[in-house]
Amino acid sequence: MCTPMSGVVIAIDAGTTGVRAFAIDDTGAPVGWSYREFPQHFPRPGWVEHDPRDIWAAVESTLAELRARLDDAGHTVAAIGITDQRETTVVWSRPTGKPLANAIVWQDRRTAARCDELRDAGRLPLVRDRTGLVLDPYFSATKLEWLLTEGGVDAGPDLAFGTVDSWVVWNLTGGAVHATDPSNASRTMLCDIRRAAWDDELCSLFGVPSSCLPEIRPSSSRLGVTPDGIPVSGIAGDQQAALFGQACFAPGTAKNTYGTGSFVLMNVGGACPSPVDGLLTTIAWQLADGALTYALEGAIFVTGAAVQWLRDGLGIIDDAADTEALAGSINDTEGVYVVPAFTGLGSPWWDPYARGAIFGLTRGAGRAHLARAVLESMAYQTRDVVESMRDAAGRPISALRADGGAAANDLLLQIQADQLQVPVTRPAVAETTALGAAYLAGLSEGVWSTPEDVAQHWQADREFTPTMPKQVADTRHAQWRHAVERARAFSSD
């Protein structure tokens, strides 16, 4: 056991639309943060890219700003942890550290046809058994394969591949460390999740040279140090970090993070479960003792992004926070349903050809109906995943812990409680993704001794209990499922 240290811990949360640097003290209380958005690129329909240099610039600026504030307040930094948008594929040159192409983002659907080919060739059982994933363009392997076969990237010895965490670690350590952790590795479709190791057969299937892969290190371990000597000591993919930050350490505990997409995870303990239709099996984290914790996951591609669409695409709100008041100005959508399948549907459908749709429009429908329908779509999609998870685990979820940006929306969480018919709890610190990364880093450096020490710092802000009769909730959900069926398989490319 490490001797407890003083000092704050910084989490770098490299998300899909921006980077947040977030600091907590040894009680888990926030002591400062900084945020920067970075550009999104959409070169073709269904394609989503980032410039890795923009991501690193956002990391540099937020980290510098936060550290200046911490210095002014007299804080020392004990460690840095990293959490990131998962599956996004970054390639760079080892000698120069420069990106070799734009990053292909997790939302990108350009490899849907390739996934179909592999499925038709009978490769799905291998992928499901070895990785816990499905053949879907969401994951990194087909993105990396595309970069090597169609993106002009040379598969030579100078190639470095990583998800965003690896790119950030590389730059934070001045190019000294090329590493990832099991939670991110398990999202690439190249990792055997029972061994937490790269799989030669999968690398061969996707034409990926093992020389380009990062070293897989425990989620809570010292990876390296910054040029000024601060330990970089924790990594977890954003959703696994949120599960850790929500103190869901016991098997059966669950959380939902409402971000660009939404992700429901349930801790299922140290034994890797068999594949479950409609859900993913993923590595949640690996602590320094080497023990692995697994989770069932339902990945919903578009929730908060639909609110951004209301703002940027339709212009019916000026700010995401306006959605609650606008949606709350009416009691129901009067039959209007929005299926936000802008980049296909994730769990439990896994339909890359679904497209967004609005159903039930009448002459009386207006801005408020669309805003409320978007909020309801978040709750309906979460219910779809929770019901699949319940069936797979053989037991109901008795409560749900909610976090992420949209968890600040009281109306959304009330709708969610009504649809699930169980309490939904919002934590006092909503940024649990960053919190989880900070806790993992702090555990490695002795700021906290055990996960049980971490759990003592979790506090609830508010609990939402069901107020809608179950029959009404079921009727509305059934109509939602009808709308989903109409939106599925709309696009063929």
Side-chain angles (χ1 to χ4, degrees):
M1 183 179 295
C2 296
T3 302
M5 291 178 57
S6 60
V8 302
V9 181
I10 293 175
I12 295 171
D13 184 356
T16 305
T17 56
V19 171
R20 185 182 306 275
F22 184 81
I24 61 172
D25 63 19
D26 60 3
T27 71
V31 294
W33 61 274
S34 177
Y35 180 77
R36 296 285 188 282
E37 287 192 357
F38 54 78
Q40 311 290 300
H41 303 283
F42 308 98
R44 297 185 189 179
W47 291 27
V48 189
E49 297 180 356
H50 293 154
D51 186 332
R53 294 169 297 185
D54 291 335
I55 297 174
W56 174 240
V59 170
E60 279 192 301
S61 62
T62 55
L63 187 57
E65 183 174 273
L66 176 58
R67 289 192 61 187
R69 293 174 184 169
L70 295 174
D71 288 345
D72 289 344
H75 293 296
T76 59
V77 179
I80 295 174
I82 298 164
T83 183
D84 59 302
Q85 50 164 311
R86 306 168 303 171
E87 299 92 20
T88 294
T89 298
V90 187
V91 289
W92 66 95
S93 165
R94 294 182 190 276
T96 68
K98 294 181 179 179
L100 298 173
N102 270 356
I104 302 180
V105 180
W106 60 272
Q107 298 163 312
D108 190 283
R109 313 307 288 170
R110 75 185 67 182
T111 61
R114 173 59 173 153
C115 291
D116 289 344
E117 288 178 6
L118 291 166
R119 192 178 299 108
D120 292 343
R123 309 306 286 176
L124 179 59
L126 168 67
V127 169
R128 287 292 279 152
D129 178 70
R130 203 73 53 87
T131 72
L133 307 178
V134 295
L135 274 168
D136 191 89
Y138 178 34
F139 305 106
S140 309
T142 57
K143 302 180 194 307
L144 179 54
E145 180 185 48
W146 187 94
L147 286 166
L148 296 173
T149 58
E150 300 187 50
V153 173
D154 184 4
D158 290 342
L159 174 66
F161 152 77
T163 41
V164 170
D165 59 301
S166 297
W167 171 242
V168 174
V169 168
W170 175 276
N171 285 284
L172 273 178
T173 61
V177 178
H178 184 207
T180 188
D181 88 302
S183 72
N184 279 290
S186 69
R187 312 298 295 189
T188 62
M189 219 190 300
L190 298 170
C191 177
D192 181 338
I193 61 172
R194 290 177 180 82
R195 298 184 297 115
W198 301 119
D199 186 88
D200 291 340
E201 187 174 1
L202 291 170
C203 287
S204 176
L205 177 64
F206 295 104
V208 172
S210 59
S211 60
C212 77
L213 300 174
E215 180 185 2
I216 301 176
R217 303 273 294 277
S219 309
S220 182
S221 64
R222 183 178 290 196
L223 303 158
V225 295
T226 64
D228 57 352
I230 297 176
V232 181
S233 301
I235 298 177
D238 52 9
Q239 303 314 316
Q240 293 98 322
L243 190 70
F244 202 88
Q246 284 276 36
C248 292
F249 301 140
T253 52
K255 68 89 199 175
N256 187 20
T257 298
Y258 298 88
T260 304
S262 283
F263 299 85
V264 185
L265 270 72
M266 175 195 284
N267 184 327
V268 294
C272 182
S274 299
V276 177
D277 286 344
L279 299 174
L280 307 177
T281 305
T282 193
I283 297 175
W285 52 75
Q286 182 184 37
L287 299 184
D289 62 5
L292 294 166
T293 295
Y294 292 90
L296 288 177
E297 174 174 332
I300 303 166
F301 292 160
V302 174
T303 52
V307 175
Q308 293 177 323
W309 169 69
L310 292 177
R311 181 192 66 189
D312 302 333
L314 299 185
I316 69 172
I317 55 172
D318 295 323
D319 186 86
D322 299 340
T323 312
E324 182 172 2
L326 181 59
S329 67
I330 56 175
N331 292 324
D332 63 67
T333 66
E334 298 179 1
V336 175
Y337 289 81
V338 173
V339 181
F342 302 146
T343 55
L345 287 169
S347 297
W349 314 109
W350 293 108
D351 183 353
Y353 301 112
R355 288 295 178 265
I358 304 172
F359 297 97
L361 289 176
T362 65
R363 183 62 183 83
R367 297 165 58 244
H369 295 84
L370 286 177
R372 190 177 184 100
V374 163
L375 290 188
E376 290 187 355
S377 76
M378 298 184 191
Y380 292 138
Q381 290 179 97
T382 300
R383 175 172 171 173
D384 290 339
V385 168
V386 167
E387 289 184 346
S388 295
M389 201 168 281
R390 174 201 65 198
D391 295 342
R395 58 182 170 185
I397 293 176
S398 60
L400 186 72
R401 291 185 173 182
D403 56 69
N409 189 313
D410 289 354
L411 178 58
L412 169 62
L413 296 193
Q414 184 58 58
I415 294 170
Q416 189 69 82
D418 289 337
Q419 278 300 313
L420 295 179
Q421 294 288 297
V422 301
V424 175
T425 305
R426 179 172 61 210
V429 178
E431 295 295 338
T432 53
T433 300
L435 200 61
Y439 282 144
L440 287 165
L443 280 169
S444 175
E445 298 301 324
V447 178
W448 303 281
S449 298
T450 65
E452 290 71 26
D453 292 339
V454 168
Q456 293 178 6
H457 299 308
W458 187 91
Q459 293 183 335
D461 169 58
R462 182 175 172 184
E463 183 178 84
F464 297 81
T465 57
T467 59
M468 178 181 288
K470 184 177 185 300
Q471 183 178 4
V472 176
D474 289 348
T475 298
R476 293 185 179 183
H477 181 250
Q479 190 65 14
W480 154 261
R481 295 289 287 262
H482 182 62
V484 168
E485 288 305 316
R486 292 294 184 269
R488 291 190 60 191
F490 182 83
S491 173
S492 60
D493 55 27

